[in-house]
């Protein structure tokens, strides 16, 4: 009996290269992972000899352009290139999942362990997707020799040859003094024309490609370099800081043996920390996940920081060790079917626009993620296995825990508003009745004849009835808010629940205000004085509460533009100087160097400084020394504003809640500082209650904004 053996046609190279890899960016990802597997601490991706674009759609590459991927990994000898790099589907990485790499830090050499990402042995053919010719230059760690190999991928298109019959020219060279260990891949004869928008996309995708959480203590830095003709190079360090500024999230760590540790954080303050046993057996091994909920303000900040909306960014991504598994979490890739559940009308559910986050897996044997393998084409995991289905079920449990927490908070805040409105409208109704009784008595005691008295009383009764009807409608609207809070199913943000209701109440308040003015004018016309302070006080309280709430939840954001900080503070000073003088309050300014910040000046003036001044004026009412001080100073890339007063201060037990909705240490509504914080966060800034170290100042707040350059 004769033996038969498989042979491999040369066309297999293109089948595993440009025909399999879906795009240039994924091909570059594969080469970055190879550099990481080689123990590199940095990899430089350089676009060389490219044209600076005058328009976004202008091509920047031509036949003279090249792309290189250079690392400082362990490199290869000529023998290793021949034995491993030139072997199709080599099992080397699969058999050596973890390798010891020697690195040098501050002239001290140490050993680090790297968990290898590659396992198919075909990623190198992704180079063919980018360009028709490749030059490989490698220097091994021990500086034994320098190896150079040239690959002409078009030679493999000859279908008459087997793959081992297509030659690739190679040579050994003597190590030069400036030759560092590592591997460089120089790709020429680029197959596609790159444009500036493609470079921008590559930078964005690389940032999303790197895991937001380091899996080991070893630095691995990606640098993107654009060498334009007749211009200075542009260099960018790639780092995934997508989630650094988001505050509400669940973090869960499920161990191999079923122990689940999870925590929920809100604005970086831990609110829930539990350790429970995961009741169902799971086959997918250890998983770490962090899922973020984004309210309206978070979404606005995300859009400004990332340059795209959450709906265009995607949702929950999968990372394996230090790199992303495509395409999970891309826009329009709802792999967890979040929107499907949201659309089915389930109460209290999130949509993909409300969530971003990540899932971490590992090749580490201790994690036992063996069933979650990447597909051969590098696009996705193998999904028709039970491990994949059970992973999705676990992540849904985490999402549902976060949903319960967020909707509980939204209900709590909304309930506080309705309770406050109920109390204030009850007081307003009572005070209105009392006031009209007083006015009626004033009319009765006046010198008017009976006909005139009756005429005025009829008009007052009519006005009183209209006001009472409007107050009743406010009460009715408040009750409907309370009911809607209990049954809302499709809205996940507080502004969606309350915005339309508050507008209806605001309209009623405007009517009441005009009627009160009418009553005052009517009594004044007959030379009578009606005492309106009581009713006006109750009315103003509701008006401030509703106006403040609308400012807080209003989804219409004012346009931001670069503006002078010192000019802004001087405008604020001019606006408040009269009221400060009236209350005998001194204003002290110490403005440092001027700078520009990206802001809506009106939003900062009204929502931040007006509230700070208002609080200070109330706090200084009974103080012997009445002083407000504003100081600015620049530190690195941020500017700090310190706002202090010598008032009565904030009780120590209330300081941790000073920015909470409805919390107040003055006679205000408890909305001011919460609104100020929302506005500062919307400008990518921070605001904190601080101790400035001067005994004379009882209360100080520090605002911090990024400087616009």
């Amino acid at each position: 009996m004769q033996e038969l053996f498989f042979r491999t046609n040369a066309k297999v190279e293109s089948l595993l290269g440009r025909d399999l890899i879906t795009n240039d960016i994924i091909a570059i990802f594969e080469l970055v992972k190879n550099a990481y597997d080689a123990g590199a601490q940095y990899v430089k991706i350089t676009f060389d000899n490219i044209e600076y674009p005058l328009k976004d759609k202008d091509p920047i590459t031509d036949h003279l352009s090249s792309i290189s991927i250079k690392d400082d990994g362990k490199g290869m000898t000529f023998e290793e290139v021949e034995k491993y790099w030139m072997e199709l589907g080599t099992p080397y990485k699969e058999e050596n999942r973890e390798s010891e790499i020697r690195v040098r830090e501050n002239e001290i050499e140490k050993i680090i362990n790297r968990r290898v990402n590659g396992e198919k042995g075909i990623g190198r053919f992704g180079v063919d997707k980018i360009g028709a010719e490749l030059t490989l230059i490698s220097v091994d760690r021990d500086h034994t020799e320098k190896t150079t190999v040239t690959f002409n991928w078009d030679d493999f298109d000859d279908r008459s040859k087997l793959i081992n019959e297509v030659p690739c020219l190679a040579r050994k060279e003597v190590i030069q003094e400036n030759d560092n260990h590592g591997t460089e891949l120089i790709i020429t004869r680029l197959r596609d024309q790159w444009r500036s928008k493609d470079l921008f996309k590559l930078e964005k995708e690389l940032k999303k490609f790197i895991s937001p959480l380091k899996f080991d203590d070893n630095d691995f830095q990606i640098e993107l370099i654009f060498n334009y003709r007749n211009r200075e190079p542009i260099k960018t360090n790639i780092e995934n800081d997508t989630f650094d500024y988001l505050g509400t999230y669940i973090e869960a760590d499920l161990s191999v043996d079923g122990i689940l540790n999870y925590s929920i954080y809100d604005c970086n303050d831990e609110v829930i920390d539990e350790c429970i046993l995961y009741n169902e057996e799971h086959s997918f091994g250890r998983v770490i996940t962090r899922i973020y909920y984004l309210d309206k303000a978070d979404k606005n900040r995300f859009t400004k920081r990332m340059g795209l909306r959450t709906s265009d960014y995607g949702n929950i991504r999968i990372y394996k060790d230090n790199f992303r598994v495509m395409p999970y979490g891309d826009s329009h890739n709802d792999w967890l079917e979040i929107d499907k559940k949201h659309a089915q009308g389930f109460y209290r559910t999130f949509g993909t626009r409300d969530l971003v986050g990540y899932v971490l897996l590992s090749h580490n044997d201790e994690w036992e993620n063996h069933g979650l393998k990447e597909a051969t084409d590098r696009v996705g995991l193998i999904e028709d296995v039970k491990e994949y289905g059970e992973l999705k079920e676990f992540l849904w449990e985490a999402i549902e825990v976060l949903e319960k927490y967020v909707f509980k908070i939204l209900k709590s805040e909304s309930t506080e508003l309705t309770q406050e409105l109920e109390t204030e409208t009850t007081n307003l109704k009572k005070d209105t009745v009392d006031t009209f009784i007083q006015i009626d008595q004033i009319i009765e005691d006046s010198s008017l004849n009976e006909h005139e008295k009756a005429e005025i009383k009829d008009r007052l009764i009519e006005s009183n009835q209209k006001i009472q009807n409007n107050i009743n409608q406010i009460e009715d609207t408040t009750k409907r808010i309370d009911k809607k809070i209990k049954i809302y199913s499709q809205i996940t943000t507080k502004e969606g629940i309350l915005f339309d209701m508050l507008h209806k109440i605001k309209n009623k308040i405007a009517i009441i205000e005009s009627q009160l003015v009418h009553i005052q004018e009517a009594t004044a016309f007959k030379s009578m004085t009606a005492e309106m302070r009581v009713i006006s006080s109750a009315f103003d309280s509701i008006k401030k509460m509703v106006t403040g709430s609308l400012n807080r939840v209003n989804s219409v954001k004012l346009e931001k533009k670069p503006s002078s900080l010192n000019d802004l503070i001087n405008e604020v000073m001019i606006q408040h100087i009269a009221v400060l003088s009236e209350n005998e309050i001194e204003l002290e300014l110490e403005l440092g160097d001027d700078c520009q910040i990206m802001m809506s000046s009106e939003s900062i003036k009204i929502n931040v400084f007006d509230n700070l001044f208002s609080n200070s004026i109330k706090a200084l009412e009974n103080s012997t020394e009445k002083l407000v001080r504003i100081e600015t100073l620049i530190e690195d890339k941020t500017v700090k504003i310190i706002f202090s007063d010598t008032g009565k201060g904030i009780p120590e037990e209330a300081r941790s809640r000073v920015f909470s909705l409805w919390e107040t240490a003055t006679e205000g509504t408890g909305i001011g500082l919460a609104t100020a914080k929302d506005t500062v966060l919307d400008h990518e800034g921070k605001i904190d209650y601080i101790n400035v170290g001067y005994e004379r100042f009882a209360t100080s707040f520090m605002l911090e904004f990024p400087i616009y350059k």
Side-chain angles (χ1 to χ4, degrees):
M1 181 178 290
Q2 291 183 322
E3 293 179 329
L4 298 178
F5 299 93
F6 281 108
R7 295 181 300 165
T8 305
N9 191 276
K11 71 177 183 179
V12 75
E13 181 278 324
S14 63
L15 291 174
L16 298 176
R18 62 181 181 269
D19 295 340
L20 181 66
I21 303 296
T22 56
N23 59 60
D24 290 344
I25 290 178
I26 290 181
I28 289 176
F29 288 174
E30 287 300 311
L31 301 176
V32 169
K33 288 199 288 187
N34 284 347
Y36 177 84
D37 290 346
Q41 290 186 288
Y42 75 80
V43 58
K44 294 183 179 180
I45 304 168
T46 304
F47 283 72
D48 204 21
N49 202 9
I50 58 178
E51 194 68 46
Y52 191 84
L54 297 177
K55 297 179 181 179
D56 189 48
K57 295 182 179 181
D58 288 346
I60 61 172
T61 59
D62 54 29
H63 67 285
L64 297 175
S65 304
S66 64
I67 301 174
S68 73
I69 294 91
K70 183 177 182 179
D71 66 59
D72 66 341
K74 60 183 179 180
M76 295 176 286
T77 62
F78 187 92
E79 181 183 357
E80 288 171 330
V81 170
E82 183 179 23
K83 184 177 180 180
Y84 301 124
W85 219 86
M86 298 299 295
E87 182 179 337
L88 176 63
T90 175
Y92 176 76
K93 289 186 180 180
E94 190 174 350
E95 294 170 354
N96 298 272
R97 299 306 310 170
E98 188 171 285
S99 60
E100 290 187 345
I101 308 296
R102 287 178 291 163
V103 299
R104 184 172 293 276
E105 290 184 357
N106 299 324
E107 302 306 317
I108 300 175
E109 193 169 73
K110 70 173 186 177
I111 302 294
I112 63 172
N113 291 319
R114 274 280 167 86
R115 179 59 49 179
V116 175
N117 281 265
E119 56 186 24
K120 302 290 189 299
I122 59 174
R124 70 210 62 173
F125 290 126
V127 177
D128 188 8
K129 176 66 178 175
I130 305 172
E133 190 167 310
L134 166 69
T135 300
L136 178 151
I137 304 170
S138 192
V139 176
D140 65 297
R141 170 71 65 177
D142 296 323
H143 284 74
T144 306
E145 58 197 7
K146 179 178 180 179
T147 302
T148 302
V149 188
T150 301
F151 301 84
N152 186 343
W153 300 117
D154 290 343
D155 290 347
F156 291 86
D157 292 338
D158 187 346
R159 300 304 194 248
S160 66
K161 293 182 180 180
L162 300 180
I163 193 169
N164 57 307
E165 294 176 339
V166 179
C168 302
L169 301 179
R171 66 180 183 272
K172 298 180 185 178
E173 296 181 78
V174 177
I175 297 292
Q176 302 296 319
E177 186 176 346
N178 60 345
D179 285 334
N180 298 316
H181 60 79
T183 299
E184 182 176 14
L185 304 175
I186 304 172
I187 306 166
T188 52
R189 293 169 54 203
L190 304 181
R191 297 194 183 278
D192 297 318
Q193 278 192 329
W194 290 70
R195 292 171 168 78
S196 59
K197 65 177 183 179
D198 298 319
L199 298 187
F200 177 77
K201 182 179 180 181
L202 174 62
E203 180 181 338
K204 290 290 184 184
E205 292 299 325
L206 281 170
K207 287 184 176 182
K208 293 184 285 188
F209 177 59
I210 298 296
S211 171
L213 182 67
K214 295 289 186 183
F215 254 72
D216 47 46
D217 294 330
N218 312 318
D219 290 331
F220 180 67
Q221 183 64 55
I222 300 176
E223 187 176 25
L224 190 57
I225 304 170
F226 304 141
N227 284 330
Y228 292 107
R229 296 165 186 161
N230 302 318
R231 285 180 180 262
E232 289 296 315
I234 295 177
K235 300 181 180 181
T236 304
N237 288 323
I238 303 298
E239 183 178 357
N240 189 344
D241 57 356
T242 307
F243 312 104
D244 288 357
Y245 58 96
L246 300 177
T248 302
Y249 61 91
I250 183 171
E251 184 174 82
D253 187 340
L254 177 65
S255 69
V256 172
D257 55 6
I259 299 296
L260 172 64
N261 287 282
Y262 78 84
S263 301
I264 295 180
Y265 296 82
D266 199 350
C267 295
N268 298 319
D269 294 323
E270 191 171 344
V271 263
I272 296 177
D273 186 6
E274 295 186 359
C275 175
I276 64 173
L277 181 66
Y278 188 58
N279 295 323
E280 298 181 15
E281 293 184 4
H282 67 287
S283 58
F284 50 82
R286 185 186 179 190
V287 166
I288 297 175
T289 184
R290 187 179 283 190
I291 301 171
Y292 295 82
Y293 162 73
L294 290 80
D295 63 13
K296 185 68 178 179
D298 286 329
K299 289 173 185 174
N300 285 338
R301 283 194 297 275
F302 188 96
T303 299
K304 295 184 187 311
R305 189 180 181 106
M306 296 297 295
L308 71 170
R309 298 172 299 176
T310 53
S311 57
D312 297 322
Y313 172 85
N315 47 88
I316 299 170
R317 303 175 182 274
I318 295 180
Y319 292 87
K320 204 163 191 179
D321 292 321
N322 281 283
F323 303 107
R324 187 176 162 212
V325 180
M326 308 283 283
Y328 300 107
D330 275 345
S331 59
H332 312 300
N333 178 256
D334 186 11
W335 66 286
L336 289 169
E337 299 181 315
I338 296 170
D339 281 338
K340 181 179 179 181
K341 182 174 180 180
H342 188 55
Q344 288 173 348
F346 284 79
Y347 291 166
R348 300 180 177 185
T349 61
F350 294 140
T352 51
R353 296 186 179 193
D354 306 309
L355 299 175
V356 295
Y358 52 86
V359 183
L360 303 179
L361 308 173
S362 178
H363 289 97
N364 191 321
D365 290 336
E366 294 179 359
W367 283 53
E368 297 186 12
N369 297 145
H370 311 304
L372 298 170
K373 293 185 176 181
E374 292 181 65
T376 303
D377 62 359
R378 294 301 196 271
V379 180
L381 300 170
I382 298 173
E383 297 182 357
D384 57 347
V385 293
K386 69 173 183 177
E387 290 88 347
Y388 180 77
E390 289 182 3
L391 172 65
K392 291 174 66 176
E393 290 174 6
F394 164 70
L395 293 173
W396 257 112
E397 292 200 12
I399 292 172
E400 287 169 355
V401 170
L402 183 61
E403 283 177 339
K404 288 178 182 177
Y405 167 74
V406 169
F407 281 98
K408 180 180 177 182
I409 295 299
L410 294 180
K411 180 180 178 182
S412 174
E413 289 188 359
S414 303
T415 301
E416 288 179 21
L417 172 62
T418 58
Q419 291 173 347
E420 189 83 8
L421 279 170
E422 286 173 5
T423 301
E424 294 296 340
T425 49
T426 300
N427 293 338
L428 178 59
K429 182 181 284 188
K430 179 180 178 299
D431 293 338
T432 304
V433 172
D434 292 343
T435 300
F436 275 100
I437 291 173
Q438 295 173 16
I439 295 174
D440 184 74
Q441 187 61 50
I442 292 172
I443 295 171
E444 195 61 42
D445 295 340
S446 70
S447 59
L448 299 173
N449 60 46
E450 294 302 317
H451 176 73
E452 289 176 322
K453 288 180 181 180
E455 182 182 353
I456 294 175
K457 283 185 177 182
D458 287 342
R459 290 172 61 185
L460 285 173
I461 290 171
E462 182 183 354
S463 295
N464 182 34
Q465 188 59 52
K466 287 180 179 179
I467 290 177
Q468 293 296 328
N469 288 340
N470 281 308
I471 294 174
N472 289 336
Q473 289 184 42
I474 290 177
E475 287 183 324
D476 180 63
T477 303
T478 303
K479 290 176 182 177
R480 284 189 285 119
I481 292 177
D482 195 42
K483 288 181 180 178
K484 284 202 173 189
I485 289 168
K486 296 183 174 101
I487 64 173
Y488 252 90
S489 60
Q490 297 300 318
I491 300 178
T492 62
T493 51
K494 62 180 83 65
E495 61 267 23
I497 297 174
L498 300 176
F499 188 72
D500 56 338
M501 295 297 176
L502 289 169
H503 260 297
K504 292 175 183 177
I505 295 174
K506 183 182 179 183
N507 293 337
K508 298 300 176 186
I509 286 175
I511 295 172
I512 294 175
E513 187 172 30
S514 66
Q515 289 165 342
L516 290 175
V517 172
H518 177 72
I519 292 170
Q520 286 180 310
E521 290 175 347
T523 55
F525 179 73
K526 297 296 182 179
S527 301
M528 294 181 294
T529 302
E531 182 55 67
M532 304 289 287
R533 283 187 301 177
V534 177
I535 186 173
S536 294
S537 175
F539 169 75
D540 286 343
S541 180
I542 291 181
K543 184 178 179 181
K544 287 178 181 178
M545 184 184 352
V546 173
T547 303
S549 297
L550 276 171
N551 287 340
R552 179 175 168 81
V553 302
N554 194 347
S555 60
V556 180
K557 300 295 180 181
L558 297 176
E559 181 183 358
K560 299 182 182 69
K561 60 182 180 181
S563 303
S564 162
L565 177 61
N566 286 359
D567 286 351
L568 171 75
I569 293 176
N570 284 321
E571 288 176 22
V572 169
M573 178 192 68
I574 292 170
Q575 290 175 0
H576 288 85
I577 197 69
V579 68
L580 292 175
S581 177
E582 182 182 335
N583 288 275
E584 299 179 340
I585 298 172
E586 181 184 351
L587 179 61
E588 186 178 284
L589 289 178
E590 187 172 328
L591 302 184
D593 294 338
D594 194 15
C595 64
Q596 288 194 327
I597 60 176
M598 183 66 73
M599 64 176 165
S600 161
S601 298
E602 289 304 309
S603 181
I604 294 291
K605 283 189 286 188
I606 295 170
N607 294 337
V608 180
F609 282 106
D610 280 3
N611 281 315
L612 291 174
F613 271 109
S614 176
N615 287 348
S616 290
I617 290 168
K618 293 168 188 173
L620 288 164
E621 188 173 356
N622 297 315
S623 298
T624 53
E625 181 185 17
K626 296 185 177 185
L627 174 64
V628 171
R629 174 183 168 84
I630 302 176
E631 176 185 359
T632 69
L633 55 108
I634 293 175
E635 290 186 2
D636 195 19
K637 298 180 181 179
T638 62
V639 59
K640 295 180 178 179
I641 308 166
I642 301 173
F643 189 104
S644 307
D645 68 53
T646 56
K648 63 182 181 180
I650 299 172
E652 187 171 351
E653 65 274 10
R655 291 172 186 173
S656 61
R657 307 187 306 273
V658 72
F659 297 108
S660 299
L661 190 61
W662 315 122
E663 185 70 28
T664 178
T666 66
E667 300 301 318
T669 62
I671 294 174
L673 286 177
T675 303
K677 182 174 182 179
D678 273 0
T679 303
V680 171
L681 290 176
D682 185 52
H683 287 72
E684 299 185 16
K686 296 190 299 184
I687 180 171
D688 295 297
Y689 173 84
I690 64 168
N691 183 349
V692 293
Y694 301 118
E695 291 185 6
R696 61 196 300 211
F697 294 114
T699 303
S700 293
F701 292 95
M702 183 170 72
L703 295 78
E704 187 172 343
F705 294 100
I707 295 173
Y708 175 81
K709 293 186 179 179

